[in-house]
Amino acid sequence: MGAMALVAAAIVFGLGALGAGIGNGLIVGRTVEGISRQPELRGTLQTTMFIGVALVEALPIISLVLAFIFFAKA
């Protein structure tokens, strides 16, 4: 039971961090692309980007909490 909980904690946190990294890369890349196409919308696009990044960053925080829960069961 203990080793499996540690493996589960590592997998949960690793996949959560991987998903957040991919999501942040896509959000920032599309924002830069949008700014390069329409520079006058820079402020609006940046605001939307920061909201999106904040929502994406909730994923690794949730996965960290789940990893701690699995780690506590080890």
Side-chain angles (χ1 to χ4, degrees):
M1 177 71 181
M4 293 301 289
L6 292 175
V7 170
I11 290 172
V12 164
F13 188 64
L15 289 177
L18 179 69
I22 292 170
N24 283 336
L26 290 173
I27 290 171
V28 173
R30 300 291 167 95
T31 302
V32 169
E33 182 180 335
I35 291 171
S36 68
R37 289 176 186 258
Q38 294 184 340
E40 66 274 5
L41 294 177
R42 179 180 181 183
T44 305
L45 290 172
Q46 279 185 339
T47 302
T48 305
M49 179 195 72
F50 288 135
I51 292 170
V53 166
L55 292 174
V56 168
E57 284 301 318
L59 177 67
I61 293 170
I62 292 169
S63 68
L64 179 65
V65 170
L66 286 174
F68 280 144
I69 290 171
F70 288 141
F71 188 71
K73 293 184 184 230

